[in-house]
Short mmCIF file of all heavy atoms in Angstrom, two decimals:
data_model
loop_
_atom_site.label_atom_id
_atom_site.label_comp_id
_atom_site.label_asym_id
_atom_site.label_seq_id
_atom_site.Cartn_x
_atom_site.Cartn_y
_atom_site.Cartn_z
N ALA A 711 -10.56 8.73 5.25
CA ALA A 711 -11.92 8.17 5.18
C ALA A 711 -12.35 7.63 6.55
O ALA A 711 -13.50 7.80 6.95
CB ALA A 711 -11.99 7.08 4.12
N GLU A 712 -11.44 7.00 7.26
CA GLU A 712 -11.75 6.48 8.60
C GLU A 712 -12.06 7.62 9.57
O GLU A 712 -12.99 7.52 10.38
CB GLU A 712 -10.60 5.63 9.13
CG GLU A 712 -10.47 4.29 8.44
CD GLU A 712 -9.21 3.52 8.82
OE1 GLU A 712 -8.45 3.96 9.72
OE2 GLU A 712 -8.96 2.48 8.19
N ARG A 713 -11.28 8.72 9.50
CA ARG A 713 -11.56 9.88 10.37
C ARG A 713 -12.93 10.47 10.04
O ARG A 713 -13.68 10.83 10.93
CB ARG A 713 -10.48 10.95 10.19
CG ARG A 713 -9.30 10.82 11.11
CD ARG A 713 -8.44 12.07 11.13
NE ARG A 713 -8.13 12.62 9.82
CZ ARG A 713 -7.10 12.26 9.06
NH1 ARG A 713 -6.27 11.33 9.46
NH2 ARG A 713 -6.91 12.84 7.89
N GLU A 714 -13.23 10.54 8.75
CA GLU A 714 -14.52 11.09 8.34
C GLU A 714 -15.67 10.24 8.87
O GLU A 714 -16.66 10.75 9.38
CB GLU A 714 -14.58 11.19 6.81
CG GLU A 714 -15.61 12.15 6.33
CD GLU A 714 -15.39 12.55 4.89
OE1 GLU A 714 -14.40 13.25 4.61
OE2 GLU A 714 -16.23 12.14 4.06
N ARG A 715 -15.53 8.91 8.76
CA ARG A 715 -16.56 8.01 9.30
C ARG A 715 -16.69 8.19 10.81
O ARG A 715 -17.80 8.18 11.35
CB ARG A 715 -16.23 6.55 8.96
CG ARG A 715 -16.62 6.15 7.55
CD ARG A 715 -16.52 4.65 7.33
NE ARG A 715 -15.17 4.13 7.44
CZ ARG A 715 -14.27 4.12 6.45
NH1 ARG A 715 -14.59 4.61 5.28
NH2 ARG A 715 -13.07 3.61 6.65
N LEU A 716 -15.57 8.37 11.50
CA LEU A 716 -15.59 8.57 12.94
C LEU A 716 -16.31 9.87 13.30
O LEU A 716 -17.11 9.91 14.24
CB LEU A 716 -14.16 8.57 13.51
CG LEU A 716 -14.01 8.82 15.01
CD1 LEU A 716 -14.72 7.71 15.81
CD2 LEU A 716 -12.53 8.90 15.38
N ILE A 717 -16.05 10.92 12.57
CA ILE A 717 -16.71 12.21 12.82
C ILE A 717 -18.22 12.07 12.65
O ILE A 717 -19.00 12.49 13.51
CB ILE A 717 -16.15 13.31 11.89
CG1 ILE A 717 -14.69 13.61 12.23
CG2 ILE A 717 -17.00 14.57 11.99
CD1 ILE A 717 -13.96 14.42 11.16
N VAL A 718 -18.63 11.45 11.55
CA VAL A 718 -20.07 11.29 11.27
C VAL A 718 -20.72 10.39 12.33
O VAL A 718 -21.79 10.72 12.85
CB VAL A 718 -20.29 10.75 9.84
CG1 VAL A 718 -21.74 10.36 9.62
CG2 VAL A 718 -19.84 11.77 8.81
N ALA A 719 -20.08 9.28 12.65
CA ALA A 719 -20.64 8.36 13.66
C ALA A 719 -20.74 9.04 15.02
O ALA A 719 -21.74 8.87 15.74
CB ALA A 719 -19.79 7.10 13.75
N THR A 720 -19.75 9.82 15.38
CA THR A 720 -19.76 10.49 16.68
C THR A 720 -20.82 11.59 16.70
O THR A 720 -21.54 11.73 17.70
CB THR A 720 -18.36 11.07 16.99
OG1 THR A 720 -17.40 10.01 16.93
CG2 THR A 720 -18.32 11.72 18.35
N ALA A 721 -20.95 12.33 15.61
CA ALA A 721 -22.00 13.37 15.54
C ALA A 721 -23.37 12.72 15.65
O ALA A 721 -24.24 13.22 16.38
CB ALA A 721 -21.87 14.14 14.23
N ARG A 722 -23.54 11.64 14.96
CA ARG A 722 -24.82 10.93 14.98
C ARG A 722 -25.13 10.42 16.39
O ARG A 722 -26.26 10.59 16.89
CB ARG A 722 -24.74 9.78 13.98
CG ARG A 722 -25.99 9.03 13.82
CD ARG A 722 -25.81 8.00 12.72
NE ARG A 722 -26.96 7.14 12.67
CZ ARG A 722 -27.23 6.32 11.68
NH1 ARG A 722 -26.42 6.24 10.63
NH2 ARG A 722 -28.30 5.57 11.70
N GLU A 723 -24.17 9.83 17.03
CA GLU A 723 -24.35 9.30 18.39
C GLU A 723 -24.69 10.43 19.36
O GLU A 723 -25.62 10.32 20.17
CB GLU A 723 -23.07 8.58 18.82
CG GLU A 723 -23.11 8.03 20.23
CD GLU A 723 -21.76 7.42 20.61
OE1 GLU A 723 -21.16 6.72 19.78
OE2 GLU A 723 -21.33 7.64 21.76
#
Side-chain angles (χ1 to χ4, degrees):
E712 288 172 6
R713 271 194 314 273
E714 200 163 290
R715 280 190 296 276
L716 178 62
I717 293 166
V718 171
T720 304
R722 184 175 172 166
E723 178 184 318

